[in-house]
Amino acid sequence: DAKRKGRGLTQVYKEKLLAEQERNFAICQALKTAIAQNELSVLFQPVVAAESHAVVSYEALLRWNSRDYGPISPDEFIPIAEDTGEIVPLGNFVLDAALGQLVRSGYHDNPLKMAVNVSLRQLIAPGFLEAVRSSLARHDVRPGDLVLEVTESIFDTRQQPIISFVLHQLDSYGVEIHIDDFGTGYSSLSRLHELPIHALKIDRSFVHALDTHGKAIIEGTALIARKLGIHIIAEGVETPLQARQLEELGIEYLQGYLFGRPSPKLMESHRIQSA
Ligand code: C2E
Ligand code: MG
Ligand code: MG
Ligand code: MG
């Protein structure tokens, strides 16, 4: 009986895996034509200074509304795009769309920073540095106003020479590197100081756990960051209480639904708020 039960489970598992593989394959095919068919768009979410709540930058977040499958979350399609390499054209699309929106929103009269998420696969792909430089030049955006958000995957030891080279090149242009979802992956504290990292974005899971284990983790991270001269941003801030607690812990920048959801346009109010 146990044996039969075991086989049954294996069968269910196999079917589930197959269904998942089929969906992944379909998504992977549909992704290849997503740009050409105008299915992609980019939303922007503000980052604010903790003290004044003035907007200091925006983060570009990719959206995909597939003709065949409807809206698909980046948490689902980004990993697939990373596997297939499709992340390279997608990433270039986001970079260009984000800098384009920045310029259309009055950047040249009133400079503002723009943050773009970059996958490891994209960062180490041939031509990445050139793509960044040419997009900055095309839109006439100062390299110092571009932030690239990478994850702790940049601490991958096997890829260290290339990762280190690319990050140092970006740093030499003046582009800022932020580590996204900090605390959820594997970080090497020694590398944190060897690589040109400008800021850490504390993962929202710690912000949501401020009343339990989150506080100690955020406090410890802030202490290390401060000693290393690295800025801190907290993500996923949803309540005024969280904002207050984070400010009390000395966190400099906040991001989350409390201050603004991802939206197609940059807020007109950022100038008033920062005034
Ligand atoms: P991320 O870069 O850490 O972005 C933050 C995610 O949290 C976004 O989800 C955002 O909409 C959501 N968020 C923001 N504020 C709050 C809040 O207060 N509460 C909660 N619960 N969530 C909040 P989104 O847009 O679905 O993106 C998910 C992830 O997909 C991103 O996480 C990023 O890792 C990836 N991604 C999105 N766009 C791109 C892109 O252009 N390139 C790459 N490589 N990855 C991207
Ligand atoms: Mg991000
Ligand atoms: Mg994040
Ligand atoms: Mg994330």
Side-chain angles (χ1 to χ4, degrees):
D1 186 45
K3 228 178 181 178
R4 206 181 310 141
K5 212 170 162 188
R7 245 199 311 274
L9 277 179
T10 309
Q11 193 55 37
V12 169
Y13 180 68
K14 270 189 191 158
E15 276 162 22
K16 219 185 135 202
L17 207 71
L18 203 69
E20 208 178 282
Q21 275 174 2
E22 272 166 19
R23 180 171 163 89
N24 284 1
F25 183 74
I27 286 178
C28 153
Q29 291 303 315
L31 257 184
K32 287 185 190 155
T33 56
I35 296 179
Q37 302 201 305
N38 266 315
E39 296 171 351
L40 298 176
S41 58
V42 179
L43 299 183
F44 302 93
Q45 188 185 29
V47 174
V48 305
E51 269 182 45
S52 62
H53 293 183
V55 175
V56 294
S57 62
Y58 283 87
E59 176 178 7
L61 294 159
L62 183 57
R63 292 293 177 267
W64 179 26
N65 193 352
S66 159
R67 269 175 212 191
D68 296 331
Y69 305 101
I72 301 177
S73 157
D75 286 324
E76 181 170 14
F77 73 78
I78 295 284
I80 297 171
E82 287 172 347
D83 283 347
T84 62
E86 207 57 32
I87 193 67
V88 172
L90 288 187
N92 289 337
F93 169 87
V94 176
L95 184 63
D96 231 57
L99 295 184
Q101 183 63 267
L102 186 67
V103 167
R104 280 191 301 278
S105 306
Y107 167 82
H108 288 122
D109 298 322
N110 206 321
L112 192 67
K113 289 189 185 193
M114 178 60 71
V116 176
N117 292 285
V118 173
S119 298
L120 179 62
R121 170 98 189 239
Q122 190 192 344
L123 185 89
I124 62 179
F128 177 71
L129 289 170
E130 188 43 43
V132 170
R133 280 161 66 106
S134 69
S135 194
L136 285 168
R138 199 161 45 249
H139 297 285
D140 192 23
V141 169
R142 225 175 44 94
D145 290 327
L146 176 65
V147 172
L148 298 179
E149 294 190 9
V150 295
T151 65
E152 287 164 292
S153 60
I154 58 154
F155 295 116
D156 181 338
T157 47
R158 288 161 304 174
Q159 315 256 33
Q160 219 29 235
I162 172 88
I163 293 168
S164 175
F165 173 76
V166 173
L167 293 182
H168 280 104
Q169 283 297 114
L170 290 167
D171 181 53
S172 76
Y173 308 158
V175 171
E176 285 194 18
I177 309 295
H178 294 189
I179 301 187
D180 208 348
D181 305 335
F182 190 80
T184 60
Y186 295 95
S187 272
S188 156
L189 291 179
S190 63
R191 288 255 162 62
L192 203 51
H193 132 91
E194 285 163 18
L195 293 175
I197 308 298
H198 299 82
L200 307 179
K201 293 189 83 174
I202 304 220
D203 190 66
R204 69 165 177 259
S205 59
F206 302 115
V207 171
H208 295 177
L210 262 170
D211 290 325
T212 54
H213 63 282
K215 189 178 178 214
I217 292 170
I218 294 174
E219 249 174 335
T221 306
L223 193 71
I224 293 170
R226 213 168 295 133
K227 299 254 177 202
L228 293 175
I230 297 173
H231 297 285
I232 292 223
I233 301 159
E235 45 179 23
V237 183
E238 294 176 354
T239 69
L241 177 63
Q242 288 167 347
R244 215 174 318 125
Q245 287 172 311
L246 290 161
E247 205 206 324
E248 277 163 18
L249 293 178
I251 305 304
E252 309 161 83
Y253 302 105
L254 309 175
Q255 185 180 27
Y257 295 162
L258 178 65
F259 302 104
R261 296 207 170 231
S263 97
K265 290 213 166 133
L266 310 196
M267 295 191 301
E268 283 306 316
S269 62
H270 80 260
R271 285 178 202 101
I272 300 154
Q273 286 190 339
S274 52

